[in-house]
PDB file of all heavy atoms in Angstrom:
ATOM      1  N   ARG A 105     125.406  87.844 105.289  1.00 97.00           N
ATOM      2  CA  ARG A 105     125.372  88.634 106.526  1.00 97.00           C
ATOM      3  C   ARG A 105     124.224  89.651 106.508  1.00 97.00           C
ATOM      4  O   ARG A 105     123.577  89.868 107.529  1.00 97.00           O
ATOM      5  CB  ARG A 105     126.706  89.338 106.736  1.00 97.00           C
ATOM      6  CG  ARG A 105     127.823  88.372 107.096  1.00 97.00           C
ATOM      7  CD  ARG A 105     129.131  89.097 107.194  1.00 97.00           C
ATOM      8  NE  ARG A 105     130.255  88.219 107.301  1.00 97.00           N
ATOM      9  CZ  ARG A 105     131.098  88.225 108.333  1.00 97.00           C
ATOM     10  NH1 ARG A 105     130.922  89.050 109.338  1.00 97.00           N
ATOM     11  NH2 ARG A 105     132.111  87.401 108.350  1.00 97.00           N
ATOM     12  N   LEU A 106     123.995  90.279 105.366  1.00 97.00           N
ATOM     13  CA  LEU A 106     122.857  91.209 105.275  1.00 97.00           C
ATOM     14  C   LEU A 106     121.527  90.472 105.450  1.00 97.00           C
ATOM     15  O   LEU A 106     120.614  90.981 106.105  1.00 97.00           O
ATOM     16  CB  LEU A 106     122.868  91.947 103.930  1.00 97.00           C
ATOM     17  CG  LEU A 106     123.872  93.064 103.772  1.00 97.00           C
ATOM     18  CD1 LEU A 106     123.807  93.627 102.350  1.00 97.00           C
ATOM     19  CD2 LEU A 106     123.667  94.163 104.787  1.00 97.00           C
ATOM     20  N   ASP A 107     121.433  89.280 104.884  1.00 97.00           N
ATOM     21  CA  ASP A 107     120.218  88.477 105.053  1.00 97.00           C
ATOM     22  C   ASP A 107     120.031  88.102 106.524  1.00 97.00           C
ATOM     23  O   ASP A 107     118.916  88.158 107.049  1.00 97.00           O
ATOM     24  CB  ASP A 107     120.283  87.205 104.208  1.00 97.00           C
ATOM     25  CG  ASP A 107     120.165  87.461 102.720  1.00 97.00           C
ATOM     26  OD1 ASP A 107     119.730  88.571 102.324  1.00 97.00           O
ATOM     27  OD2 ASP A 107     120.515  86.544 101.940  1.00 97.00           O
ATOM     28  N   ALA A 108     121.121  87.719 107.186  1.00 97.00           N
ATOM     29  CA  ALA A 108     121.048  87.357 108.610  1.00 97.00           C
ATOM     30  C   ALA A 108     120.638  88.563 109.453  1.00 97.00           C
ATOM     31  O   ALA A 108     119.855  88.430 110.400  1.00 97.00           O
ATOM     32  CB  ALA A 108     122.390  86.799 109.081  1.00 97.00           C
ATOM     33  N   LEU A 109     121.140  89.742 109.102  1.00 98.00           N
ATOM     34  CA  LEU A 109     120.749  90.962 109.818  1.00 98.00           C
ATOM     35  C   LEU A 109     119.262  91.241 109.609  1.00 98.00           C
ATOM     36  O   LEU A 109     118.543  91.560 110.564  1.00 98.00           O
ATOM     37  CB  LEU A 109     121.582  92.154 109.344  1.00 98.00           C
ATOM     38  CG  LEU A 109     121.196  93.499 109.952  1.00 98.00           C
ATOM     39  CD1 LEU A 109     121.463  93.517 111.459  1.00 98.00           C
ATOM     40  CD2 LEU A 109     121.954  94.627 109.250  1.00 98.00           C
ATOM     41  N   ARG A 110     118.807  91.095 108.386  1.00 98.00           N
ATOM     42  CA  ARG A 110     117.378  91.303 108.102  1.00 98.00           C
ATOM     43  C   ARG A 110     116.530  90.327 108.914  1.00 98.00           C
ATOM     44  O   ARG A 110     115.529  90.709 109.522  1.00 98.00           O
ATOM     45  CB  ARG A 110     117.095  91.146 106.610  1.00 98.00           C
ATOM     46  CG  ARG A 110     115.635  91.452 106.264  1.00 98.00           C
ATOM     47  CD  ARG A 110     115.316  91.172 104.818  1.00 98.00           C
ATOM     48  NE  ARG A 110     115.645  89.786 104.524  1.00 98.00           N
ATOM     49  CZ  ARG A 110     116.210  89.369 103.394  1.00 98.00           C
ATOM     50  NH1 ARG A 110     116.478  90.207 102.435  1.00 98.00           N
ATOM     51  NH2 ARG A 110     116.481  88.099 103.211  1.00 98.00           N
ATOM     52  N   ASP A 111     116.954  89.063 108.976  1.00 97.00           N
ATOM     53  CA  ASP A 111     116.209  88.060 109.741  1.00 97.00           C
ATOM     54  C   ASP A 111     116.233  88.371 111.238  1.00 97.00           C
ATOM     55  O   ASP A 111     115.226  88.223 111.936  1.00 97.00           O
ATOM     56  CB  ASP A 111     116.772  86.662 109.486  1.00 97.00           C
ATOM     57  CG  ASP A 111     116.572  86.188 108.048  1.00 97.00           C
ATOM     58  OD1 ASP A 111     115.765  86.811 107.311  1.00 97.00           O
ATOM     59  OD2 ASP A 111     117.259  85.216 107.656  1.00 97.00           O
ATOM     60  N   ALA A 112     117.377  88.799 111.733  1.00 98.00           N
ATOM     61  CA  ALA A 112     117.509  89.114 113.164  1.00 98.00           C
ATOM     62  C   ALA A 112     116.659  90.320 113.552  1.00 98.00           C
ATOM     63  O   ALA A 112     116.034  90.325 114.627  1.00 98.00           O
ATOM     64  CB  ALA A 112     118.968  89.362 113.520  1.00 98.00           C
ATOM     65  N   THR A 113     116.610  91.325 112.695  1.00 98.00           N
ATOM     66  CA  THR A 113     115.779  92.486 113.019  1.00 98.00           C
ATOM     67  C   THR A 113     114.296  92.150 112.879  1.00 98.00           C
ATOM     68  O   THR A 113     113.462  92.723 113.592  1.00 98.00           O
ATOM     69  CB  THR A 113     116.148  93.724 112.172  1.00 98.00           C
ATOM     70  OG1 THR A 113     116.032  93.408 110.784  1.00 98.00           O
ATOM     71  CG2 THR A 113     117.545  94.226 112.511  1.00 98.00           C
ATOM     72  N   ALA A 114     113.971  91.195 112.012  1.00 98.00           N
ATOM     73  CA  ALA A 114     112.578  90.735 111.922  1.00 98.00           C
ATOM     74  C   ALA A 114     112.183  90.026 113.216  1.00 98.00           C
ATOM     75  O   ALA A 114     111.074  90.226 113.730  1.00 98.00           O
ATOM     76  CB  ALA A 114     112.392  89.813 110.718  1.00 98.00           C
ATOM     77  N   ARG A 115     113.091  89.203 113.770  1.00 98.00           N
ATOM     78  CA  ARG A 115     112.817  88.553 115.056  1.00 98.00           C
ATOM     79  C   ARG A 115     112.693  89.591 116.166  1.00 98.00           C
ATOM     80  O   ARG A 115     111.826  89.483 117.039  1.00 98.00           O
ATOM     81  CB  ARG A 115     113.920  87.551 115.410  1.00 98.00           C
ATOM     82  CG  ARG A 115     113.832  86.265 114.611  1.00 98.00           C
ATOM     83  CD  ARG A 115     114.790  85.207 115.124  1.00 98.00           C
ATOM     84  NE  ARG A 115     116.181  85.614 115.080  1.00 98.00           N
ATOM     85  CZ  ARG A 115     116.974  85.518 114.015  1.00 98.00           C
ATOM     86  NH1 ARG A 115     116.503  85.041 112.874  1.00 98.00           N
ATOM     87  NH2 ARG A 115     118.228  85.903 114.079  1.00 98.00           N
ATOM     88  N   LEU A 116     113.526  90.619 116.117  1.00 98.00           N
ATOM     89  CA  LEU A 116     113.454  91.714 117.088  1.00 98.00           C
ATOM     90  C   LEU A 116     112.071  92.370 117.024  1.00 98.00           C
ATOM     91  O   LEU A 116     111.420  92.585 118.055  1.00 98.00           O
ATOM     92  CB  LEU A 116     114.559  92.732 116.789  1.00 98.00           C
ATOM     93  CG  LEU A 116     114.591  94.005 117.603  1.00 98.00           C
ATOM     94  CD1 LEU A 116     114.899  93.720 119.057  1.00 98.00           C
ATOM     95  CD2 LEU A 116     115.636  94.951 117.023  1.00 98.00           C
ATOM     96  N   ARG A 117     111.627  92.669 115.821  1.00 98.00           N
ATOM     97  CA  ARG A 117     110.305  93.267 115.633  1.00 98.00           C
ATOM     98  C   ARG A 117     109.207  92.343 116.161  1.00 98.00           C
ATOM     99  O   ARG A 117     108.297  92.776 116.870  1.00 98.00           O
ATOM    100  CB  ARG A 117     110.074  93.572 114.151  1.00 98.00           C
ATOM    101  CG  ARG A 117     108.731  94.258 113.876  1.00 98.00           C
ATOM    102  CD  ARG A 117     108.406  94.328 112.387  1.00 98.00           C
ATOM    103  NE  ARG A 117     108.273  92.975 111.859  1.00 98.00           N
ATOM    104  CZ  ARG A 117     108.958  92.482 110.830  1.00 98.00           C
ATOM    105  NH1 ARG A 117     109.812  93.241 110.174  1.00 98.00           N
ATOM    106  NH2 ARG A 117     108.794  91.244 110.414  1.00 98.00           N
ATOM    107  N   GLU A 118     109.303  91.047 115.852  1.00 98.00           N
ATOM    108  CA  GLU A 118     108.299  90.082 116.311  1.00 98.00           C
ATOM    109  C   GLU A 118     108.233  90.023 117.836  1.00 98.00           C
ATOM    110  O   GLU A 118     107.143  89.987 118.411  1.00 98.00           O
ATOM    111  CB  GLU A 118     108.608  88.692 115.746  1.00 98.00           C
ATOM    112  CG  GLU A 118     108.382  88.590 114.256  1.00 98.00           C
ATOM    113  CD  GLU A 118     108.991  87.332 113.651  1.00 98.00           C
ATOM    114  OE1 GLU A 118     109.557  86.490 114.405  1.00 98.00           O
ATOM    115  OE2 GLU A 118     108.931  87.191 112.416  1.00 98.00           O
ATOM    116  N   ARG A 119     109.395  90.007 118.495  1.00 98.00           N
ATOM    117  CA  ARG A 119     109.427  89.973 119.973  1.00 98.00           C
ATOM    118  C   ARG A 119     108.799  91.245 120.542  1.00 98.00           C
ATOM    119  O   ARG A 119     108.052  91.190 121.506  1.00 98.00           O
ATOM    120  CB  ARG A 119     110.850  89.828 120.496  1.00 98.00           C
ATOM    121  CG  ARG A 119     111.561  88.556 120.076  1.00 98.00           C
ATOM    122  CD  ARG A 119     111.098  87.310 120.831  1.00 98.00           C
ATOM    123  NE  ARG A 119     109.861  86.723 120.429  1.00 98.00           N
ATOM    124  CZ  ARG A 119     109.630  85.969 119.345  1.00 98.00           C
ATOM    125  NH1 ARG A 119     110.588  85.736 118.489  1.00 98.00           N
ATOM    126  NH2 ARG A 119     108.448  85.446 119.102  1.00 98.00           N
ATOM    127  N   ALA A 120     109.105  92.376 119.904  1.00 97.00           N
ATOM    128  CA  ALA A 120     108.550  93.646 120.383  1.00 97.00           C
ATOM    129  C   ALA A 120     107.035  93.663 120.214  1.00 97.00           C
ATOM    130  O   ALA A 120     106.298  94.058 121.125  1.00 97.00           O
ATOM    131  CB  ALA A 120     109.186  94.823 119.651  1.00 97.00           C
ATOM    132  N   GLU A 121     106.553  93.228 119.063  1.00 97.00           N
ATOM    133  CA  GLU A 121     105.114  93.223 118.806  1.00 97.00           C
ATOM    134  C   GLU A 121     104.378  92.257 119.728  1.00 97.00           C
ATOM    135  O   GLU A 121     103.204  92.471 120.046  1.00 97.00           O
ATOM    136  CB  GLU A 121     104.846  92.900 117.335  1.00 97.00           C
ATOM    137  CG  GLU A 121     105.250  94.039 116.412  1.00 97.00           C
ATOM    138  CD  GLU A 121     105.156  93.714 114.935  1.00 97.00           C
ATOM    139  OE1 GLU A 121     105.073  92.507 114.563  1.00 97.00           O
ATOM    140  OE2 GLU A 121     105.177  94.666 114.133  1.00 97.00           O
ATOM    141  N   ALA A 122     105.078  91.214 120.191  1.00 97.00           N
ATOM    142  CA  ALA A 122     104.481  90.253 121.114  1.00 97.00           C
ATOM    143  C   ALA A 122     104.538  90.749 122.563  1.00 97.00           C
ATOM    144  O   ALA A 122     103.988  90.101 123.453  1.00 97.00           O
ATOM    145  CB  ALA A 122     105.192  88.904 120.996  1.00 97.00           C
ATOM    146  N   GLY A 123     105.243  91.866 122.791  1.00 95.00           N
ATOM    147  CA  GLY A 123     105.368  92.385 124.157  1.00 95.00           C
ATOM    148  C   GLY A 123     106.369  91.620 125.005  1.00 95.00           C
ATOM    149  O   GLY A 123     106.360  91.711 126.233  1.00 95.00           O
ATOM    150  N   ASP A 124     107.252  90.868 124.379  1.00 96.00           N
ATOM    151  CA  ASP A 124     108.241  90.031 125.054  1.00 96.00           C
ATOM    152  C   ASP A 124     109.527  90.826 125.271  1.00 96.00           C
ATOM    153  O   ASP A 124     110.454  90.759 124.460  1.00 96.00           O
ATOM    154  CB  ASP A 124     108.490  88.780 124.214  1.00 96.00           C
ATOM    155  CG  ASP A 124     109.571  87.870 124.752  1.00 96.00           C
ATOM    156  OD1 ASP A 124     110.067  88.093 125.874  1.00 96.00           O
ATOM    157  OD2 ASP A 124     109.923  86.909 124.023  1.00 96.00           O
ATOM    158  N   MET A 125     109.589  91.565 126.364  1.00 94.00           N
ATOM    159  CA  MET A 125     110.752  92.434 126.594  1.00 94.00           C
ATOM    160  C   MET A 125     112.038  91.640 126.785  1.00 94.00           C
ATOM    161  O   MET A 125     113.096  92.076 126.356  1.00 94.00           O
ATOM    162  CB  MET A 125     110.500  93.346 127.791  1.00 94.00           C
ATOM    163  CG  MET A 125     109.445  94.406 127.517  1.00 94.00           C
ATOM    164  SD  MET A 125     109.832  95.436 126.079  1.00 94.00           S
ATOM    165  CE  MET A 125     111.172  96.392 126.739  1.00 94.00           C
ATOM    166  N   GLU A 126     111.966  90.484 127.415  1.00 95.00           N
ATOM    167  CA  GLU A 126     113.157  89.652 127.551  1.00 95.00           C
ATOM    168  C   GLU A 126     113.646  89.202 126.178  1.00 95.00           C
ATOM    169  O   GLU A 126     114.841  89.224 125.879  1.00 95.00           O
ATOM    170  CB  GLU A 126     112.862  88.438 128.438  1.00 95.00           C
ATOM    171  CG  GLU A 126     114.101  87.641 128.777  1.00 95.00           C
ATOM    172  CD  GLU A 126     113.787  86.541 129.771  1.00 95.00           C
ATOM    173  OE1 GLU A 126     113.175  86.822 130.816  1.00 95.00           O
ATOM    174  OE2 GLU A 126     114.183  85.386 129.480  1.00 95.00           O
ATOM    175  N   GLY A 127     112.692  88.812 125.329  1.00 97.00           N
ATOM    176  CA  GLY A 127     113.021  88.423 123.962  1.00 97.00           C
ATOM    177  C   GLY A 127     113.585  89.574 123.147  1.00 97.00           C
ATOM    178  O   GLY A 127     114.485  89.392 122.329  1.00 97.00           O
ATOM    179  N   VAL A 128     113.059  90.787 123.390  1.00 97.00           N
ATOM    180  CA  VAL A 128     113.587  91.976 122.710  1.00 97.00           C
ATOM    181  C   VAL A 128     115.047  92.168 123.101  1.00 97.00           C
ATOM    182  O   VAL A 128     115.904  92.418 122.254  1.00 97.00           O
ATOM    183  CB  VAL A 128     112.755  93.236 123.035  1.00 97.00           C
ATOM    184  CG1 VAL A 128     113.467  94.501 122.559  1.00 97.00           C
ATOM    185  CG2 VAL A 128     111.369  93.139 122.421  1.00 97.00           C
ATOM    186  N   GLY A 129     115.335  92.036 124.395  1.00 96.00           N
ATOM    187  CA  GLY A 129     116.717  92.197 124.856  1.00 96.00           C
ATOM    188  C   GLY A 129     117.657  91.194 124.218  1.00 96.00           C
ATOM    189  O   GLY A 129     118.753  91.546 123.770  1.00 96.00           O
TER     190      GLY A 129
END
Side-chain angles (χ1 to χ4, degrees):
R105 290 176 190 240
L106 284 176
D107 289 344
L109 176 65
R110 184 186 56 220
D111 294 346
T113 57
R115 285 189 300 276
L116 175 66
R117 183 190 63 235
E118 290 167 3
R119 298 284 78 76
E121 289 173 344
D124 176 8
M125 290 304 288
E126 188 174 309
V128 169

